[in-house]
Amino acid sequence: MSGPVPGTPSLLRAINDRAALQALLERGPLTRPEIGTLTGLSKPTASQLLSRLQEAGLVVLDGIREGLPGRTAEVYRINPAAAYVGALDVTPDRIEARVADITGATVGEYTLPTPRRPGGDLVERLRTALDGAGPPGPLRRIVIGVQAAIDPSTGRLGYATAKDMPGWQIADLVPTLSDGLGVPVSVENNVNLVALAEQSHGAAHGTSDFVLLWADEGIGSAIVLGGRMHRGATGGAGEVGYMPTPGAPTAREAGRYANHGYQALTGGPAVLKLLRSYGVRGTDFRQAIANAVRAADGGGQKADDARAGLRDIAARLAVGLAAITSVLDPGLIVLTGGVVLSGGETLRELVEHELHALTIPRPQLRLSTVEGNPVLAGALDLALDTVRDEVFGSTVPLP
């Protein structure tokens, strides 16, 4: 049996290397004494470690730091060119690409508009988007966020039709994309990626059990249990848009992939129609919700109607969240997407009040705190976690 044995010098070097690299990632450029202090290593051992990491191309000098008179110290940092990763957020209208180096710094972005019936090969469209982001070097991994989910039993994309995701309904999707792009590829549900971003550096940071609700044009959720994403037998855990909900048509009446269930009551178009019935206008649902929040702060009939409309939206959202809460009993629910973020703290409080009136557990509700495109943020987090494990674990050759 080959490979390092616990307690051998090779294993200890690998552990020390990883600890030093992690310290550099978290704290930025450090001197040799600082690395020694953070890792508990002696000066000679820290020097050997830095030499080894420099030789492996993982660490580079970052100048000199002056201290007491006559004393200077070399500063080291992670070599950003050690690896690059790519992230793609694919929707029916566009492909948004972002490239980051191994430190997590964004080095390129690009948005490729796509028609509803795109021409050309799927791999070529993805490659065009990535090339537009201008990666400085070869990509080590790509994570793609889609409005669907890979069924692990078939390898095909589920929870989306050919109309929703044209060109994606192919067998062995992930191996096909990996071979075509020449890079290991992961395809992940977009809402799951949003939850990963919230778990890494957002509203759910430090929380091992939570549910994320994405309320936008469409409705979806993500479930994290014991710190791990729960995907389900067919990859569809969290596809709550299809969940039967009182007051909404079911799949029996509307069709399997038609507008029914929770989606029919709380999706963007339904919310816009509801607010218009209360006299609140807007060019789209986001603007209508923001207008309702502003109007609700005033007085008179318009304010009363706006408040009633917001309570109605909150009640609809709470019904679905109550079903989720009764099954999973999460301690935290993160709310995100255009519907809830446009309503801000006003709508969050209303949803929490309505939910707590329906359930015995009273989970805390928080708004998302991830800025920018959370799908790309989560995709980069996932890609970087994988690549760092690969690259940082390769500094010491096996005997």
Side-chain angles (χ1 to χ4, degrees), residues 236-257:
E239 292 287 349
V240 296
Y242 301 114
M243 181 171 62
T245 307
T250 68
R252 182 181 291 111
E253 296 87 42
R256 190 178 182 188
Y257 289 107

Side-chain angles (χ1 to χ4, degrees), residues 146-149 157-165 169 189-191 213-214 217-221 234-246 248-267 320 323-324:
V146 297
Q147 298 175 351
L157 201 66
Y159 298 91
T161 65
K163 180 180 178 182
D164 299 323
M165 299 285 292
Q169 308 299 323
N189 174 261
N190 60 342
V191 181
L213 180 72
W214 173 275
E217 186 82 16
I219 301 294
S221 72
T234 64
E239 292 287 349
V240 296
Y242 301 114
M243 181 171 62
T245 307
T250 68
R252 182 181 291 111
E253 296 87 42
R256 190 178 182 188
Y257 289 107
N259 189 35
H260 63 81
Y262 197 32
Q263 163 74 33
L265 287 182
T266 56
I324 295 169

